Amino acid sequence: MPPRATDARRAAVLGQPIAHSLSPVLHRAAYAELGLTGWSYDRFEVDEAALPGFLEKLGPEWAGLSLTMPLKRAVIPLLDEISQTAASVDAVNTVVFTEDGRTRGDNTDIPGMVAALREHGVEEVDSAAILGAGATASSALAALSRICTGEVVAYVRSDARAAEMREWGRRLDVDVRTAHWSEAARALRAPLVIATTPAGTTDALAAAVPERPATLFDVLYEPWPTELAARWSMYGGAVVGGLDLLVHQAVLQVEQMTGRAPAPLEAMRRAGERALAAR
């Protein structure tokens, strides 16, 4: 049974650093739209060492947690179970406390990526390129395992990163080829380009955007637009941004934590846009 609107329930986002997280804005907007007047959503600065103690102190009023870096892997041994989606990339970004007191971990980043792409008309591609090789890149590969029918080329800076991406490809049953970052301009001609690198990393690639680009998924949302996304849009290409991902993965978190579906996507998006505009 879904909780009553007046039930006092708690949720929060944990990570380090956490001060600039938009998760409270998105989740609180959802609670307001759903009429969940007894619900609250906070943020806590928690590192890997403090995580076990934090979890032990949580009472029955807790419904769920959102996790960001560096906790997505550290939380796994502390949970009763994790979903196949989370296990596929060894990363949990969502913890739900069940009625019987168990803890279940999931990863909403992966289906969130798929949903964000579908919202922009990308249902299937025959090839794709990934810029970067960090934790977000493995989630991008997992998302591509659902929509890409052919080769994925990952552009990375080191042999070690290249080996990691190829191993993720084997685990996720994705045909992965790696190339050095110095060749990253070639990525921009792919039917779908997913940029997973930190702010500023892809700025130098903006000048290489082709005249008729296809779809760019840039996982950053601040600063926005990135130079690459701005040039991509100027040339008429489709752009999926980090806020799209953040909202779609948060929608799935709200649904799991509250038991209410569908979560109010547009209200959450508007709240996120307002918060970013105010910064």
Side-chain angles (χ1 to χ4, degrees):
M1 289 285 293
R4 294 174 300 173
T6 55
D7 285 346
R9 302 302 305 275
R10 297 189 67 183
V13 59
L14 315 181
Q16 187 183 52
I18 203 65
H20 287 83
S21 172
L22 278 181
S23 292
V25 170
L26 302 182
H27 285 252
R28 290 169 186 169
Y31 299 163
E33 191 75 11
L34 294 170
L36 296 174
T37 56
W39 284 65
S40 63
Y41 189 101
D42 303 298
R43 62 166 67 91
F44 294 96
E45 187 97 6
V46 178
D47 62 14
E48 294 168 270
L51 183 59
F54 185 93
L55 294 178
E56 288 174 3
K57 294 178 182 178
L58 300 184
E61 74 278 13
W62 282 85
L65 299 169
S66 307
L67 300 176
T68 186
M69 300 304 292
L71 306 179
K72 292 184 178 183
R73 185 166 294 175
V75 76
I76 292 175
L78 306 176
L79 302 175
D80 293 314
E81 59 181 304
I82 66 172
S83 68
Q84 289 185 339
T85 301
S88 73
V89 290
D90 291 336
V92 165
N93 78 328
T94 306
V95 176
V96 174
F97 300 95
T98 63
E99 290 184 3
D100 59 3
R102 292 176 62 80
T103 51
R104 175 175 171 80
D106 193 14
N107 186 309
T108 63
D109 286 332
I110 295 166
M113 283 186 176
V114 174
L117 285 165
R118 285 178 175 163
E119 185 180 40
H120 286 77
V122 181
E123 297 277 351
E124 184 179 284
V125 291
D126 58 14
S127 62
I130 294 178
L131 300 174
T136 306
S138 61
S139 292
L141 269 182
L144 288 171
S145 73
R146 304 182 181 192
I147 66 169
C148 183
T149 60
E151 182 182 67
V152 176
V153 183
Y155 292 82
V156 301
R157 293 187 182 276
S158 71
D159 291 342
R161 289 292 196 180
E164 288 176 8
M165 289 299 284
R166 290 193 295 269
E167 177 58 28
W168 281 118
R170 285 189 286 270
R171 287 186 55 173
L172 296 163
D173 196 24
V174 178
D175 181 12
V176 174
R177 179 168 63 86
T178 55
H180 193 267
W181 184 262
S182 60
E183 302 176 5
R186 297 181 181 180
L188 309 187
R189 298 189 179 279
L192 171 61
V193 181
I194 304 182
T196 69
T197 52
T201 307
T202 62
D203 288 355
L205 296 176
V209 174
E211 289 186 2
R212 294 181 181 179
T215 300
L216 170 69
F217 191 163
D218 195 324
V219 302
L220 294 173
Y221 62 85
E222 193 175 22
W224 187 260
T226 62
E227 288 190 27
L228 180 61
R231 180 67 65 92
W232 202 276
S233 294
M234 185 175 73
Y235 279 28
V239 175
V240 186
L243 184 60
D244 295 310
L245 168 59
L246 195 65
V247 170
H248 276 283
Q249 66 82 28
V251 160
L252 297 170
Q253 289 185 332
V254 168
E255 291 175 354
Q256 289 190 34
M257 294 179 192
T258 67
R260 304 290 182 90
L265 172 69
E266 290 307 322
M268 296 168 71
R269 192 199 312 274
R270 288 193 299 270
E273 290 171 344
R274 287 195 298 268
L276 287 175
R279 290 183 175 178

